[in-house]
Coordinates of all heavy atoms in Angstrom, one line a residue:
I214 N 143.7 161.6 -11.1 CA 145.0 161.1 -11.3 C 145.9 162.2 -12.1 O 147.0 162.5 -11.8 CB 145.0 159.8 -12.1 CG1 144.5 158.7 -11.2 CG2 146.4 159.4 -12.6 CD1 144.2 157.4 -11.9
V215 N 145.3 162.7 -13.2 CA 146.0 163.7 -14.0 C 146.3 164.9 -13.3 O 147.4 165.5 -13.3 CB 145.2 163.9 -15.3 CG1 145.7 165.1 -16.1 CG2 145.1 162.7 -16.2
L216 N 145.3 165.5 -12.6 CA 145.5 166.8 -12.0 C 146.3 166.7 -10.7 O 147.1 167.7 -10.4 CB 144.1 167.5 -11.7 CG 143.3 167.8 -12.9 CD1 142.0 168.5 -12.5 CD2 144.1 168.6 -13.9
E217 N 146.2 165.7 -9.9 CA 146.9 165.5 -8.7 C 148.3 164.9 -8.9 O 149.2 165.0 -8.1 CB 146.2 164.7 -7.6 CG 144.9 165.4 -7.2 CD 144.3 164.7 -6.0 OE1 144.8 163.6 -5.6 OE2 143.2 165.2 -5.5
G218 N 148.5 164.3 -10.1 CA 149.8 163.8 -10.5 C 150.3 162.6 -9.7 O 151.5 162.4 -9.6
K219 N 149.3 161.8 -9.3 CA 149.7 160.5 -8.7 C 148.5 159.5 -8.7 O 147.4 159.9 -8.9 CB 150.1 160.8 -7.2 CG 149.0 161.4 -6.4 CD 149.5 161.7 -4.9 CE 148.4 162.3 -4.1 NZ 148.8 162.6 -2.7
I220 N 148.9 158.3 -8.5 CA 147.9 157.2 -8.4 C 147.4 157.1 -7.0 O 148.2 156.9 -6.1 CB 148.4 155.9 -8.9 CG1 149.0 156.0 -10.3 CG2 147.4 154.8 -8.9 CD1 148.0 156.3 -11.4
P221 N 146.1 157.2 -6.8 CA 145.6 157.1 -5.4 C 145.9 155.7 -4.8 O 145.9 154.7 -5.6 CB 144.1 157.3 -5.5 CG 143.9 158.0 -6.8 CD 145.0 157.5 -7.7
R222 N 146.1 155.6 -3.5 CA 146.4 154.3 -2.9 C 145.2 153.3 -3.0 O 145.4 152.1 -3.1 CB 146.7 154.5 -1.4 CG 148.1 155.2 -1.2 CD 148.4 155.3 0.3 NE 149.7 156.0 0.5 CZ 150.2 156.2 1.7 NH1 149.5 155.8 2.8 NH2 151.3 156.8 1.9
A223 N 144.0 153.9 -3.1 CA 142.8 153.1 -3.2 C 142.6 152.5 -4.6 O 141.6 151.7 -4.7 CB 141.6 153.9 -2.7
M224 N 143.4 152.8 -5.5 CA 143.2 152.4 -6.9 C 143.2 150.9 -7.0 O 142.3 150.3 -7.6 CB 144.3 152.9 -7.8 CG 144.2 152.6 -9.3 SD 143.0 153.8 -10.1 CE 143.0 153.2 -11.8
A225 N 144.1 150.2 -6.4 CA 144.1 148.7 -6.4 C 142.9 148.1 -5.8 O 142.4 147.1 -6.2 CB 145.4 148.2 -5.8
M226 N 142.3 148.8 -4.8 CA 141.1 148.3 -4.1 C 139.9 148.4 -5.0 O 138.9 147.7 -4.7 CB 140.9 149.1 -2.8 CG 142.0 149.0 -1.8 SD 142.2 147.3 -1.1 CE 140.7 147.1 -0.2
A227 N 140.0 149.2 -6.0 CA 138.8 149.4 -6.9 C 138.8 148.4 -8.1 O 138.0 148.6 -9.0 CB 138.8 150.8 -7.4
E228 N 139.7 147.5 -8.1 CA 139.8 146.5 -9.1 C 138.5 145.7 -9.2 O 137.8 145.5 -8.2 CB 141.0 145.5 -9.0 CG 142.3 146.2 -9.2 CD 143.5 145.2 -9.1 OE1 143.2 144.0 -8.7 OE2 144.6 145.5 -9.4
Y229 N 138.1 145.2 -10.4 CA 136.9 144.4 -10.6 C 137.1 143.1 -9.8 O 138.2 142.5 -9.8 CB 136.8 144.1 -12.1 CG 135.7 143.2 -12.5 CD1 134.4 143.6 -12.3 CD2 136.0 141.9 -13.0 CE1 133.3 142.7 -12.7 CE2 134.9 141.1 -13.4 CZ 133.6 141.5 -13.2 OH 132.6 140.7 -13.6
K230 N 136.1 142.7 -9.0 CA 136.3 141.6 -8.1 C 135.9 140.2 -8.6 O 136.0 139.3 -7.8 CB 135.5 142.0 -6.8 CG 136.0 143.2 -6.1 CD 135.3 143.5 -4.8 CE 135.8 144.8 -4.1 NZ 137.2 144.8 -3.9
F231 N 135.4 140.2 -9.8 CA 134.9 138.9 -10.3 C 135.7 138.2 -11.4 O 135.2 137.4 -12.1 CB 133.5 139.0 -10.7 CG 132.5 139.4 -9.6 CD1 132.0 140.7 -9.5 CD2 132.1 138.4 -8.7 CE1 131.2 141.0 -8.4 CE2 131.3 138.7 -7.6 CZ 130.8 140.0 -7.5
F232 N 137.0 138.6 -11.5 CA 137.9 137.9 -12.4 C 138.1 136.5 -11.9 O 138.2 136.3 -10.6 CB 139.3 138.6 -12.5 CG 139.3 139.7 -13.5 CD1 139.7 141.0 -13.2 CD2 138.9 139.5 -14.9 CE1 139.7 142.0 -14.1 CE2 139.0 140.5 -15.8 CZ 139.4 141.7 -15.4
P233 N 138.2 135.5 -12.8 CA 138.6 134.2 -12.3 C 139.9 134.2 -11.6 O 140.8 135.0 -11.9 CB 138.7 133.4 -13.6 CG 137.8 134.1 -14.6 CD 137.9 135.6 -14.2
K234 N 140.0 133.4 -10.5 CA 141.2 133.5 -9.7 C 142.5 133.1 -10.4 O 143.6 133.5 -10.0 CB 141.1 132.5 -8.5 CG 140.0 133.0 -7.5 CD 139.9 132.0 -6.3 CE 138.8 132.5 -5.4 NZ 138.7 131.6 -4.2
D235 N 142.4 132.4 -11.5 CA 143.6 132.0 -12.3 C 143.9 133.0 -13.4 O 144.8 132.8 -14.2 CB 143.4 130.6 -12.9 CG 142.2 130.6 -13.9 OD1 141.3 131.5 -13.8 OD2 142.2 129.7 -14.7
K236 N 143.2 134.2 -13.4 CA 143.5 135.2 -14.4 C 143.6 136.5 -13.7 O 143.2 136.8 -12.6 CB 142.3 135.3 -15.4 CG 142.2 134.0 -16.3 CD 141.1 134.2 -17.3 CE 141.0 133.0 -18.2 NZ 139.9 133.1 -19.2
S237 N 144.3 137.4 -14.4 CA 144.4 138.8 -13.9 C 144.5 139.8 -15.1 O 144.8 139.4 -16.2 CB 145.7 139.0 -13.0 OG 146.9 138.7 -13.8
S238 N 144.1 141.0 -14.8 CA 144.1 142.0 -15.9 C 144.5 143.3 -15.3 O 144.2 143.7 -14.2 CB 142.7 142.1 -16.5 OG 142.7 143.0 -17.6
N239 N 145.2 144.1 -16.1 CA 145.6 145.4 -15.7 C 144.5 146.4 -15.8 O 143.5 146.2 -16.5 CB 146.8 145.9 -16.5 CG 148.0 145.1 -16.4 OD1 148.2 144.4 -15.3 ND2 148.9 145.0 -17.4
Q240 N 144.5 147.5 -15.0 CA 143.5 148.5 -15.1 C 143.9 149.5 -16.2 O 145.0 149.9 -16.3 CB 143.4 149.2 -13.7 CG 142.9 148.4 -12.6 CD 143.1 149.1 -11.3 OE1 144.2 149.4 -10.8 NE2 141.9 149.3 -10.6

């Protein structure tokens, strides 16, 4: 991220998958 200067598109896909459905958390 730092060296290429952008957030990869796949970043959101790498979110932790076991958060309760009624909660969310930023990366």
Side-chain angles (χ1 to χ4, degrees):
I214 290 171
V215 169
L216 297 185
E217 294 188 358
K219 61 182 179 180
I220 304 297
R222 291 183 178 179
M224 185 80 179
M226 299 296 293
E228 289 183 352
Y229 177 68
K230 298 185 182 300
F231 294 104
F232 274 124
K234 292 183 179 180
D235 59 340
K236 294 183 179 180
S237 63
S238 180
N239 297 333
Q240 294 171 296

